[in-house]
Every structure is written in C-alpha cells, then in structure tokens.
Amino acid sequence: MMFRISILDVNLTLMKNIIFIITLNIFVISCGRIDDPFVIFSGKINNTTETIIKVSNYNNEYRKTIPINSSGRFKDTLFIDNSGYYYFQIGKSYTTVKFKNGWDLHVNIDADDFFNSISYTGKGSVENNYSVSRQKLKGKFVGDPKEYFVVPIKDFLTKINKNRDAYLELLNNSSLAESDKEIERRIIEYDYLLTKNNYQKFYSYHKNEEAVLPEGYYDSIREMDIDDGEIFRYSKSYRVLIVEYWRLLSQEAMKQDSNLTVIHFVEKKIQNINSIDIKEQFVSMLFREINLKNKNYRDDYSKIMDLLSTGKMRTKLTDRFNSINSTKPDMPSTNFYYENFAGGYTSLKDLKGKLSYIEIWATWCGPCIREMPALTQLIREYKDKKIEFISISIDSKNDYDKWRKMVPEKNVGGIQLFSDKGLDSDFMKAFNVGLIPRSIMLDANGNIITDKAPRPSSENIKTFIDKHLKKTIRFSS
C-alpha cells in the first residue's frame, strides 16, 4: 500500500514545529533559561606582583588556581557542585566570594587597598557587592576586638543587638532576591550568636577573670538548629557554632551521666541529623580521641570509623591512626630529602649527631611568621649546642619564589628547607601534618622524641630543650 503526503500535510507539520518553538521560546523568556553548570570568574588586580589567584570552598574539597597575567587580569571557568560562599586569595590577602552556577562575575581590586577597593560587575555582582558592604559595616562596628568585647555584659548585649539591627536594615534595603535575603538573614543571626558566644573568651583573656553572665546566656546556642545543611555551606559562623554546640552540650551531658562517653554522645546526637556535612563535622571532633594518652585509642578508632559517611573523612581518620602508630616516642622518624636554601639537598640522615628541632611553616601562615622572632632567639642562644633548628616550608610550587624571597628577609637562621610536595611528602604524611605551625623534636639518632614539641614562643621551650640536651647523646654511625 502506498501513502501520499500532500502539501497540506507538510504545511501542518511545519506549522506545528513553529508553534512548538515559539511556545518554548516564550517559556524560556518568561521563566529564565536554565543556568549554565559553571561560573565564569574574572577580574582585574591593580598594583600586584602576584601571578596566581587561589579559589577554594569552606572545606578545601574544591580548589582552583587561576593565573594572573602581566596586566593583572585573570579569567577562568569554575565548575562548582553547590552555590555558596567560597574564598579567593591573592598573596596574603583573601576574602569570601559568593558563587552560583550560571553567573559571569567580574571583580576589580587594588592590591594596595585590598578590602576597601573590592567591587563587582556582571551577573552575581548585586549579591557580592551586598556582601562587601556588610563586611565593611562589620569592620566599622568591631574595630579593635579588645575594645569591642571587654565591656560590661549589659553594654555588650546592647551593642550587638544594635549592630544586628543595622545589618538587617542594610539587607532589607538591598535589591537581593527574597530567597537570597532569607539566607542572608540566617547568616546575620548566626554571626550574632557567634559574637555573643565569644564574649566570655575575649573578656576572660584580657581581664584575667570570668565575666558574670545572665542566666540562660547560652540557651540560644543550646536551642539552635543543628541540621541546616544549606547554611552550613554559606556561613562560617554557623560551622563554628556547630563546634561550640558540641563542646557545650557534650560537657553538660557527661557531667550529668558519668558513664556516658563522648563517642556515645556524638553517636546519639547525629542520629537525627540529615546533613552529611554536619554529621561529619560532629564526628570529626572525635578525632582528637586518637592519641597515645588514650589507652583505648585502637577500639575508639573502630567506633569512630563506623560513624563516618564519606571516604574523605575515613581517609583522614586512618591517616591520623597510622600517624599515631608510626610516630611514637623512640621510633625512627621517616626520612626526608628536601632542597636546602643554602644549596643542594638535606636529608634527616645528614643531621645525625645532634637533636633536631623541626618547625613546619609556610609563607602564607600568619601564626608561623609570628613564631619567627622567638625561633631566631632560640637559634642564637643554642648556637654552640648539640641541636639543629630546621625550618621546613610546605609552600606550593607556585609559592617557591616567595619562599626564596622571605627566607633572607626574615633572616631566622638555622637550616631552611623546602618540601617540594608540601603536605603530600612522606615525612609530612607520616606525622599527619595538617595545621601549622607544627614543631617536632628528634633525638641524635633521628628517633622521635615528640611529634608535637612546644612552639618557639612557648614559656617552657627552653626547659624542654635543656632537658633533652642533658641526656647522654648516643648515635649510631
């Protein structure tokens, strides 16, 4: 059987396709197109000699290095999984930036006045310029932390309530979408709660006495929502408050029940939490239980492992466990072979015959740099003693030139080494180095005295060094 297709049939089909396309275009125009699954991030940095900009999220699961050209410009496409606040760093300066898939965001910065000069254009600029305004207002209100916190509690509460109202007024007067305003309101509230929580810490530190707080002062933290997975991505204050909540309630629960262990407390607490990120935050607080002072650390390791949900966190816990087992006192240290600023390469074996005080640092680490004057003084005082002071930089290869520049500028002394693989080198992995500065002490044979020695600025550092210098130094050839 044969079928004939008439001109009328063709015209009807064509008209249907045209109507469909027109309808689709109307839908797209009225509803907005589906966002691209990436962010275009570009910028112009004036007065900078930096060659890269580093972008990361709150837990460093997302990291991207973008080159800055000779005219101070950069541009890249970022494939992000979730909207939220990210960080970008140029040299030692860093700040937050809000990303959402589909945005084409451009930032202008004067490196000589980094924070005051930040301004955004393009899609996403409204949200980020609001954030810049909020941060500037916060800087205006807080100023000197000592002056801000060390006041009578009544005056402090009046101040932070007034400031919160000002933040909310800025938000309400902004042109943000209502959905974004709702997120920002929650951010403001958690900033307020964290500031309130920090009062006692600052007050007691500067006054050397505890402040008298109103009854129920911490109730707002006890009653906070601990399962807000969305705000966990957006608010650093909220992430810190999760830790503060853990500390506050775990201490109270264990006082009430002497048989309750901290692991059991966390196990019960996370049962009703849906957010994987927040669950992992709670469980990660248990990692500190894996230490040699805890006789049950092997059993606790298994219990904690059972509470984890992600491979990343299981790997972190395993690394800590393995580090504990491989860095016990009197065990031989893992060797290293690093570039020496003075020339050539230096290994741990080259240092046998003297104690080794090892300071791990990086050019971008403020606390590390603050330890340098104290370390310089130690090196001078123990110049003719049987001890070597070794500083090992974990800077990335992109910051190698910074290391070469900073070493002579700071003129700390001692042996200056560069770990070309950073934290991924065998030595750093063996000692499970994460937070820096980190101090390690080895004996004259290269055996471990402690994987966490007192810092150079510690009051007991000289007593600690003298104690081990007095011991008979024996080393194998």
Side-chain angles (χ1 to χ4, degrees):
M1 180 180 294
M2 298 180 64
F3 293 93
R4 292 184 177 180
I5 301 176
S6 69
I7 295 176
L8 179 61
D9 292 330
V10 173
N11 287 338
L12 285 173
T13 301
L14 182 60
M15 288 182 66
K16 287 179 181 179
N17 289 337
I18 292 172
I19 291 171
F20 173 77
I21 293 171
I22 292 173
T23 303
L24 180 62
N25 285 336
I26 292 172
F27 177 80
V28 170
I29 292 170
S30 62
C31 298
R33 67 178 176 80
I34 297 173
D35 286 335
D36 294 321
F38 53 79
V39 177
I40 297 175
F41 187 40
S42 61
K44 174 69 168 67
I45 318 299
N46 294 314
N47 299 315
T48 185
T49 58
E50 300 296 331
T51 57
I52 59 169
I53 174 172
K54 299 176 183 177
V55 179
S56 62
N57 66 345
Y58 68 90
N59 60 7
N60 276 323
E61 286 189 351
Y62 180 89
R63 287 184 289 181
K64 186 73 180 285
T65 298
I66 306 172
I68 301 174
N69 67 21
S70 57
S71 62
R73 297 183 183 278
F74 71 88
K75 185 176 183 179
D76 209 338
T77 302
L78 312 180
F79 293 89
I80 61 172
D81 292 330
N82 296 299
S83 300
Y85 279 107
Y86 288 67
Y87 298 94
F88 72 82
Q89 179 178 353
I90 302 171
K92 294 180 182 178
S93 301
Y94 70 94
T95 187
T96 57
V97 58
K98 191 174 185 180
F99 286 148
K100 183 178 180 181
N101 279 328
W103 282 2
D104 187 346
L105 185 65
H106 184 91
V107 63
N108 289 290
I109 302 174
D110 184 341
D112 289 342
D113 192 16
F114 187 89
F115 297 102
N116 290 322
S117 66
I118 299 174
S119 65
Y120 293 90
T121 56
K123 192 172 183 181
S125 60
V126 171
E127 293 83 352
N128 277 286
N129 285 327
Y130 158 77
S131 179
V132 169
S133 297
R134 178 166 56 84
Q135 291 301 321
K136 287 180 179 179
L137 189 59
K138 183 177 181 179
K140 176 183 176 182
F141 285 156
V142 176
D144 183 349
K146 180 179 179 180
E147 294 179 3
Y148 189 79
F149 285 94
V150 186
V151 295
I153 184 62
K154 183 178 179 181
D155 295 343
F156 176 74
L157 291 175
T158 299
K159 180 194 306 183
I160 63 173
N161 285 327
K162 181 179 178 181
N163 291 351
R164 178 175 58 177
D165 291 342
Y167 296 136
L168 289 171
E169 182 180 5
L170 176 69
L171 174 62
N172 292 332
N173 291 336
S174 74
S175 54
L176 295 180
E178 189 54 43
S179 58
D180 289 323
K181 284 186 177 181
E182 176 54 32
I183 290 174
E184 295 297 334
R185 287 189 191 102
R186 284 145 65 198
I187 290 174
I188 290 170
E189 183 60 29
Y190 287 120
D191 283 349
Y192 169 83
L193 284 183
L194 183 60
T195 303
K196 183 179 178 182
N197 178 79
N198 288 341
Y199 174 75
Q200 182 70 274
K201 296 177 183 178
F202 279 88
Y203 187 92
S204 59
Y205 175 80
H206 289 288
K207 297 281 285 187
N208 292 318
E209 63 182 26
E210 294 288 307
V212 179
L213 303 177
E215 185 177 351
Y217 186 80
Y218 294 108
D219 283 352
S220 52
I221 295 176
R222 290 186 182 93
E223 297 163 3
M224 66 178 277
D225 179 4
I226 59 168
D227 194 17
D228 192 339
E230 180 180 48
I231 210 69
F232 191 86
R233 297 196 310 271
Y234 280 88
S235 172
K236 180 179 179 181
S237 293
Y238 180 76
R239 296 192 292 271
V240 174
L241 281 166
I242 291 293
V243 176
E244 294 300 319
Y245 175 96
W246 179 91
R247 288 174 177 163
L248 180 65
L249 270 75
S250 62
Q251 291 172 3
E252 292 176 349
M254 294 173 73
K255 282 182 181 179
Q256 293 173 4
D257 183 357
S258 58
N259 295 319
L260 181 68
T261 67
V262 67
I263 294 177
H264 189 219
F265 167 81
V266 170
E267 183 179 18
K268 291 172 61 178
K269 187 59 65 176
I270 66 174
Q271 285 178 352
N272 298 319
I273 295 178
N274 294 312
S275 168
I276 297 297
D277 286 335
I278 297 174
K279 278 187 176 181
E280 301 288 68
Q281 179 87 328
F282 268 97
V283 180
S284 70
M285 297 300 290
L286 298 174
F287 285 15
R288 65 188 68 189
E289 299 299 308
I290 310 303
N291 65 78
L292 293 177
K293 294 180 181 179
N294 177 10
K295 295 180 181 180
N296 299 316
Y297 79 89
R298 292 181 182 275
D299 290 337
D300 287 349
Y301 165 74
S302 298
K303 293 176 182 177
I304 298 169
M305 184 65 75
D306 289 341
L307 299 178
L308 292 170
S309 303
T310 64
K312 177 184 177 181
M313 294 302 289
R314 291 192 183 107
T315 298
K316 280 189 175 182
L317 179 61
T318 300
D319 288 345
R320 184 178 179 91
F321 180 79
N322 291 339
S323 175
I324 292 295
N325 289 320
S326 63
T327 57
K328 295 178 181 178
D330 299 325
M331 290 183 66
S333 169
T334 297
N335 191 31
F336 57 70
Y337 186 71
Y338 295 143
E339 179 182 345
N340 191 320
F341 183 85
Y345 286 77
T346 298
S347 73
L348 182 57
K349 295 177 182 178
D350 297 329
L351 304 174
K352 279 193 173 183
K354 292 184 178 182
L355 297 178
S356 294
Y357 182 88
I358 300 171
E359 185 75 356
I360 301 169
W361 71 291
T363 58
W364 45 261
C365 172
C368 301
I369 294 171
R370 288 194 289 272
E371 290 290 336
M372 287 182 175
L375 180 58
T376 301
Q377 186 61 31
L378 285 177
I379 293 171
R380 290 172 181 168
E381 291 189 25
Y382 288 91
K383 181 179 179 181
D384 298 321
K385 306 292 184 181
K386 286 187 173 294
I387 181 172
E388 291 282 8
F389 292 89
I390 305 102
S391 297
I392 303 177
S393 165
I394 59 165
D395 280 292
S396 67
K397 291 181 180 179
N398 291 322
D399 290 328
Y400 174 81
D401 290 340
K402 281 188 183 179
W403 173 71
R404 296 290 308 182
K405 181 180 178 182
M406 185 174 286
V407 169
E409 281 181 352
K410 298 299 182 181
N411 194 27
V412 173
I415 299 173
Q416 297 286 337
L417 305 179
F418 186 85
S419 172
D420 58 339
K421 294 182 180 179
L423 294 177
D424 290 327
S425 73
D426 291 341
F427 182 81
M428 300 301 167
K429 285 183 176 180
F431 284 93
N432 195 33
V433 176
L435 299 176
I436 55 174
R438 173 82 172 272
S439 304
I440 297 169
M441 176 79 96
L442 308 178
D443 69 15
N445 292 315
N447 296 326
I448 298 166
I449 294 175
T450 177
D451 65 335
K452 291 182 181 177
R455 290 185 180 182
S457 61
S458 300
E459 292 183 3
N460 65 333
I461 181 61
K462 292 181 184 179
T463 303
F464 174 80
I465 292 175
D466 292 341
K467 172 186 173 182
H468 293 285
L469 278 175
K470 288 178 181 177
K471 293 181 178 180
T472 302
I473 299 178
R474 298 176 181 176
F475 60 93
S476 57
S477 59

